């Protein structure tokens, strides 16, 4: 059948590949507009755009899903659409426009974690497993009936970057295996149990700040949820320090105030939290590259009793 694909990040590329592998005609790709990113603030295309252009597939990047964009969308005469992390809310008129509807690849076991950040929240909450849901899209937030689900165990100390990649592969395999049966009507979707729903809103920049009053295990899970590319951060005398890798050290409390440095050595920087201690192993000072703690300590003097900034100090400075 004639399929339109709608997606933006790396996660979505594997799904687009699967649509083609399933034997369907990918007639157009819709993705977010190019954005400035990185230190140089260069204008970069979304990964899905790069994928499509390499294969000669027409790319559309409407800033608004208005009447003009809808007319252009309908001109493709598609049978259905596959959506994976597109990043825009699709109007009801769009969702009802194609004969075979819109099939969404959602990175959770619905109705758990409806919303924009299911992978991060599964890690943040310390879940043992997650998965992929193939869902028929409707106007509500990830409320549509589910065609099929695939489960995946979350590995110990797995961060969101690694889990994104594994779920993308799982979602691609699910689309490749089931898309034709969905489009032909052989796979009947099952209505979600709304009473079991939970939500996964997008994290904000403010969520990256480390509140040392929180339990150590929670801080480690938060760090894993942001992944090594983003990380979390703290401040030392007002100077920002990004934490790339953090591990849980001990459930024992030292009697020191949260944020107090218990030890600073080549092994890591040990810090008291609201419950237990954590070890910082890879950090990134402002304006520099990520580095192991032993390299950071070559240029920074830290000793037991020194103190990272509190949330109040972070917000004031």
């Amino acid at each position: 059948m004639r399929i339109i694909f709608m997606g933006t990040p790396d996660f979505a590329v594997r799904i687009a590949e699967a649509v083609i592998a399933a034997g369907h005609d990918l007639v157009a790709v819709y993705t977010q507009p190019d954005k400035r990113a990185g230190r140089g603030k260069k204008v970069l295309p979304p990964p899905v755009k790069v994928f499509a252009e390499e294969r000669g597939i027409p790319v559309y990047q409407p800033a608004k899903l208005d009447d003009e964009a809808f007319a252009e969308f309908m001109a493709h005469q598609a049978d259905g659409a596959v959506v994976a992390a597109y990043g825009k809310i699709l109007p009801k008129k769009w969702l009802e426009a194609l004969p075979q509807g819109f099939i969404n690849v959602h990175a959770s076991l619905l109705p758990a974690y409806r919303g924009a950040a299911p992978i991060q929240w599964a890690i943040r909450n310390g879940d043992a497993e997650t998965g992929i849901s193939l869902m028929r899209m409707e106007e509500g937030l990830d409320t549509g009936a589910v065609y099929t689900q695939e489960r995946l165990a979350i590995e110990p100390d797995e961060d969101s970057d690694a889990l994104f990649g594994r779920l993308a592969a799982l979602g691609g395999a699910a689309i490749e295996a089931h898309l034709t049966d969905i489009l032909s009507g052989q796979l009947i979707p099952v209505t979600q149990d709304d009473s079991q729903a939970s939500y996964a809103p997008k994290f904000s920049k403010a969520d990256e700040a480390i509140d040392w009053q929180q339990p150590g295990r929670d801080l480690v899970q938060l760090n894993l949820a942001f992944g090594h590319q983003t990380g979390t951060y703290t401040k030392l005398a007002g100077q920002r320090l990004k934490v790339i890798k953090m591990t849980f050290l001990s459930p024992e409390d030292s009697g020191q105030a949260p944020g107090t440095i218990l030890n600073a050595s080549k092994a890591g920087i040990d810090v008291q939290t609201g419950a237990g201690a954590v070890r910082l192993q890879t950090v990134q000072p402002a304006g520099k590259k990520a580095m192991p703690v032993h390299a950071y300590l070559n240029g920074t003097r830290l000793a037991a009793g020194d103190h990272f900034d509190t949330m109040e100090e972070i917000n004031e400075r």
Side-chain angles (χ1 to χ4, degrees):
M1 294 189 182
R2 293 174 60 83
I3 302 297
I4 292 172
F5 181 77
M6 309 180 82
T8 299
D10 287 321
F11 174 85
V13 172
R14 178 64 185 90
I15 313 303
E17 292 173 339
V19 173
I20 297 173
H24 298 281
D25 185 10
L26 196 51
V27 297
V29 160
Y30 278 69
T31 189
Q32 292 273 33
D34 297 357
K35 292 183 179 179
R36 295 186 182 276
R39 291 186 180 180
K41 297 299 180 182
K42 294 181 180 179
V43 177
L44 299 176
V48 166
K49 178 180 181 179
V50 175
F51 160 84
E53 289 184 336
E54 288 175 348
R55 289 156 181 77
I57 302 169
V59 176
Y60 299 85
Q61 298 174 275
K64 295 182 179 180
L65 301 182
D66 53 17
D67 290 342
E68 181 180 351
F70 181 68
E72 188 174 58
F73 180 83
M74 294 303 296
H76 300 302
Q77 298 182 328
D79 297 298
V82 174
V83 183
Y86 177 42
K88 287 183 180 292
I89 297 175
L90 298 174
K92 182 178 180 181
K93 180 170 69 172
W94 289 57
L95 295 174
E96 296 176 347
L98 302 182
Q100 306 305 322
F102 285 65
I103 301 154
N104 180 239
V105 182
H106 188 75
S108 80
L109 299 172
L110 291 170
Y113 298 128
R114 295 173 176 174
I119 297 174
Q120 293 94 329
W121 277 102
I123 291 179
R124 171 66 183 83
N125 290 337
D127 292 356
E129 72 170 1
T130 182
I132 288 288
S133 299
L134 301 188
M135 173 195 73
R136 184 176 181 87
M137 292 185 73
E138 58 180 36
E139 195 172 12
L141 178 64
D142 299 323
T143 57
V146 174
Y147 292 103
T148 188
Q149 293 183 325
E150 302 289 343
R151 295 179 177 272
L152 183 70
I154 299 176
E155 299 292 338
D157 298 325
E158 184 169 22
D159 71 7
S160 62
D161 298 324
L163 189 54
F164 262 99
R166 295 207 298 137
L167 284 171
L170 186 65
I175 281 291
E176 191 169 342
H178 300 294
L179 180 58
T180 298
D181 287 343
I182 291 172
L183 294 171
S184 66
Q186 294 184 50
L187 198 57
I188 307 301
V190 177
T191 301
Q192 294 186 43
D193 181 356
D194 291 341
S195 70
Q196 300 299 311
S198 58
Y199 294 89
K202 187 176 181 179
F203 284 94
S204 69
K205 286 287 185 182
D207 294 322
E208 297 173 23
I210 297 172
D211 181 358
W212 296 108
Q213 298 282 348
Q214 298 299 311
R217 292 190 188 278
D218 288 353
L219 293 179
V220 169
Q221 292 305 131
L222 181 66
N223 186 255
L224 292 170
F226 276 105
H228 66 268
Q229 294 187 36
T230 301
T232 50
Y233 78 90
T234 185
K235 287 186 178 181
L236 183 66
Q239 298 299 308
R240 184 182 176 105
L241 181 67
K242 185 175 177 179
V243 179
I244 306 298
K245 184 177 180 181
M246 173 196 299
T247 57
F248 188 70
L249 182 64
S250 169
E252 301 297 325
D253 285 332
S254 65
Q256 300 292 322
T260 302
I261 295 172
L262 304 176
N263 187 44
S265 68
K266 291 182 179 180
I269 301 171
D270 302 342
V271 189
Q272 178 64 47
T273 72
V278 298
R279 173 169 287 175
L280 313 187
Q281 294 180 304
T282 307
V283 297
Q284 183 176 358
K288 297 183 179 181
K289 294 182 179 180
M291 61 186 71
V293 159
H294 70 80
Y296 171 67
L297 292 176
N298 286 337
T300 304
R301 287 191 175 184
L302 289 180
D306 290 343
H307 200 289
F308 286 113
D309 291 359
T310 64
M311 285 297 292
E312 290 77 9
E313 291 169 330
I314 287 174
N315 293 329
E316 286 174 1
R317 290 169 170 168

